[in-house]
Amino acid sequence: MTPTNDSVVQTQVAKAESAQGGGDAVASPSPARGHARRRWALRTEIAFLAGPALLVFLTFVILPVIIAAYYGFFSWSGYGPATDFVGLRNYVVILQDEAFQAALRHNAIIVVLSLVIQGPIALGLALLLNRKMRFQSGLRVLIFAPYVISEVVVGTGWSLILASNGALNGLLDKLGLAGLQQDWLSNPSLAIWTLMAIITWKYIGFAVILFLAGLQGIPEEILEAAAIDGASYWQIQRRITLPLMGPTLRIWAFLSIIGSLQLFDLVYIVWGQYVAETAGTSTMATYMVSSGRNAGSYGYGNAVAVVIFLISLAVALLYQRFVLRRDTEGAVTGGNDN
Amino acid sequence: MSTSTLTRPGARAAVPSKGGDRRPRYGIYFIALLLVGVIVAPIAYIIIGGFRSNAEITQDPAGFPTQWRIENYANVLGSPVFWREVGNSTIAAVATTLLVVVLGVMAAYVLARYRFKGRNALFSVFTAGLMFPMTVAITPLYILVRSLGLMNSLAGVVIPQVGFQLSMTIIILVPFLRTIPTELEEAAFMDGCSRLGFFWRMVIPLSMPGVVTVGILAFIASWNSYMLPLFILNSESSYTLPLGVQAFASQYSVDTAKVLAFTSLSMIPALVFFSLFERRIVGGLTGAVKG
């Protein structure tokens, strides 16, 4: 802790102490001793305030990944001590397993389709909801509703709707479109699109919330000035709103990519662990659970977790390096020093 | 349109909405209506389906009830299992929310207002949490919770949840706490307020919008969380609502109407909670997104 770094706090502490009728400064005639004591008090405060959060965070978020990295080198059933060290064998098996390759491919498709489908729709919705209109508040709540409802409810509901004897096929029949009836959940060439439809329905609200927050951060004066200068609504959106929304869009894309790489709940609930594979909707995470925990091989499951983590980390670092660099002052990238 | 030539400048300046919007609105209402249909239909199906009988659902999956039956709902509301799961979910969500908010505000205060070596590193550690999602950590987390003896206890779900919520909480709160003017702090110190006193008397009230936002997000995340309870809670008596819905759905897989009733009742709290605080959430995120 260098003196220059905490000089501001020290002046404030000094002010506070002198205001409290002397305090340390009077009690300790030596300035050096008072300085040390104030620094100690400051450290105690920081430890008291940030310590508990850091402890919980390190123990339950960071430590598990380290544990995973350790057990990933073992062939371990999950009970008793892990003794069967297998080195990188788990990783070799994972990368050669066609089921994992298929899951990885599905994750890649989900990442791309989420960005391409959700981004434009959510932006349109945010612009729509940002306009003054009747029932605006009610409409917002409705759009966010799927995002607020739990994955289990969404999954259970959609699997009933999309079942071959479910409501969607029933509706198509009623509308005289029986020819369009499909096996939405188990047809392998269709199921990934069904999954994307559910994902879009469920998560679009999050994108819209974020975009609305971004839109509200755009200063009104700029838009008014452009309008007075004769710019049309669409010109304003394209030339002013969209560029100013850049940081928000990039942060959303980042969260969406990471979320897509980690997708588990919806697939697991709608398809279950074994059906997902044959239906072509398995993800790395469902592979992790079905081939790890549920198969009684924890060592292997941990190795899969490490692979998912490394892929997410690589994608995140590349994204931060090449896309978010422009927003280094932004919220997610952190490190903005004032 | 001819009059618009005369009134245009004034009209534009007077338009209150953003983006100089002066088109007719019918198109918007049409799109809005379409949207509502797409979004609401599945939810409506779940709720209305709960009022039907299984025979009706089998015969005509997309129809309306010929006669609105309340017995499915009454059965669920009369079952102690449902209420026990509601209770478990409530305890877990309230505990998670309180802990996240308290720990999050304290840590965010340090990151926003103190200058010390390693502050940026500390902030980066917390923000890196966004890259450590539950999915990756779940298998070892299960082992960790088990070795702590917290299996089948709500604490085993709450504490890890708090850890995972902290990243987002701190990211949202730090910008809020930064906006508190330094002059205010100095004035408070002049008036004899200690740093911790300032924290309680000024920081907490001034950061309330952000605190409410992260609190709601934490509550909803906990209420809906599935993967962690799935691993940690194995005994039915400790089940939270999402696990309960799934157990109910597989137990009564032939009784679709009952499943639909159970499912609709389980989504009410999150929906009510969210609709009450929707404005707050958007408002609270605005500070964070601007960066």
Side-chain angles (χ1 to χ4, degrees), chain A residues 106-290:
Chain A
H106 301 150
N107 273 114
I109 295 172
I110 294 165
V111 167
V112 174
L113 289 182
S114 291
L115 292 177
V116 175
I117 298 174
Q118 284 185 46
I121 299 180
L123 197 59
L125 289 181
L127 288 174
L128 180 82
L129 288 175
N130 202 37
R131 292 184 174 201
K132 281 231 156 38
M133 60 190 289
R134 289 172 120 196
F135 316 117
Q136 188 190 40
S137 179
L139 200 57
R140 282 186 180 188
V141 170
L142 279 181
I143 284 184
F144 303 150
Y147 179 63
V148 179
I149 299 171
S150 79
E151 270 82 0
V152 173
V153 169
V154 169
T156 311
W158 275 107
S159 51
L160 288 170
I161 292 170
L162 296 166
S164 50
N165 58 349
L168 181 58
N169 281 342
L171 186 68
L172 288 172
D173 188 39
K174 269 193 176 174
L175 296 173
L177 299 168
L180 290 179
Q181 286 184 352
Q182 299 286 345
D183 211 349
W184 304 102
L185 293 173
S186 47
N187 179 348
S189 59
L190 201 63
I192 191 92
W193 292 100
T194 307
L195 175 63
M196 285 315 302
I198 302 176
I199 289 176
T200 307
W201 184 83
K202 168 86 173 91
Y203 294 110
I204 197 102
F206 175 71
V208 175
I209 295 181
L210 217 55
F211 293 173
L212 272 175
L215 283 174
Q216 291 185 358
I218 295 174
E220 197 112 8
E221 301 80 44
I222 302 181
L223 303 171
E224 276 169 13
I228 288 166
D229 287 346
S232 76
Y233 175 78
W234 291 112
Q235 276 174 328
I236 291 173
Q237 304 313 326
R238 208 164 64 85
R239 301 272 171 81
I240 298 173
T241 311
L242 210 54
L244 285 175
M245 284 286 283
T248 311
L249 290 169
R250 289 192 284 272
I251 287 170
W252 166 75
F254 176 74
L255 294 174
S256 169
I257 291 169
I258 293 294
S260 300
L261 288 174
Q262 315 285 342
L263 187 72
F264 172 79
D265 299 12
L266 280 177
V267 177
Y268 198 77
I269 293 159
V270 176
W271 279 273
Q273 53 176 321
Y274 300 113
V275 184
E277 207 181 302
T278 51
T281 55
S282 61
T283 65
M284 292 189 287
T286 61
Y287 175 83
M288 176 185 83
V289 174
S290 61

Side-chain angles (χ1 to χ4, degrees), chain A residues 157-175 178 181-182 184, chain B residues 41-66 256-257 260:
Chain A
W158 275 107
S159 51
L160 288 170
I161 292 170
L162 296 166
S164 50
N165 58 349
L168 181 58
N169 281 342
L171 186 68
L172 288 172
D173 188 39
K174 269 193 176 174
L175 296 173
Q181 286 184 352
Q182 299 286 345
W184 304 102
Chain B
I43 301 176
Y45 166 76
I46 296 174
I47 297 171
I48 295 171
F51 289 103
R52 306 177 73 200
S53 74
N54 282 307
E56 274 181 347
I57 294 178
T58 318
Q59 267 176 10
D60 177 13
F64 272 88
T66 46
T256 311
L260 289 171

Side-chain angles (χ1 to χ4, degrees), chain B residues 208-221:
Chain B
M208 266 331 261
V211 167
V212 171
T213 304
V214 296
I216 297 162
L217 292 177
F219 186 93
I220 293 174

Side-chain angles (χ1 to χ4, degrees), chain B residues 27-84:
Chain B
I28 297 177
Y29 285 113
F30 177 72
I31 298 171
L33 207 67
L34 205 69
L35 202 70
V36 169
V38 171
I39 288 165
V40 170
I43 301 176
Y45 166 76
I46 296 174
I47 297 171
I48 295 171
F51 289 103
R52 306 177 73 200
S53 74
N54 282 307
E56 274 181 347
I57 294 178
T58 318
Q59 267 176 10
D60 177 13
F64 272 88
T66 46
Q67 174 200 344
W68 293 71
R69 296 174 177 79
I70 59 159
E71 61 253 33
N72 292 317
Y73 284 99
N75 277 340
V76 174
L77 288 173
S79 100
V81 174
F82 175 78
W83 289 108
R84 188 182 61 216

Side-chain angles (χ1 to χ4, degrees), chain A residues 45 78 131 148 227 337-338, chain B residues 12 28 114-115 119 146 224:
Chain A
E45 264 179 49
R131 292 184 174 201
V148 179
D337 206 339
N338 54 347
Chain B
R12 264 186 220 132
I28 297 177
Y114 283 60
R115 293 184 157 247
R119 186 186 64 169
R146 197 181 65 188
N224 290 340

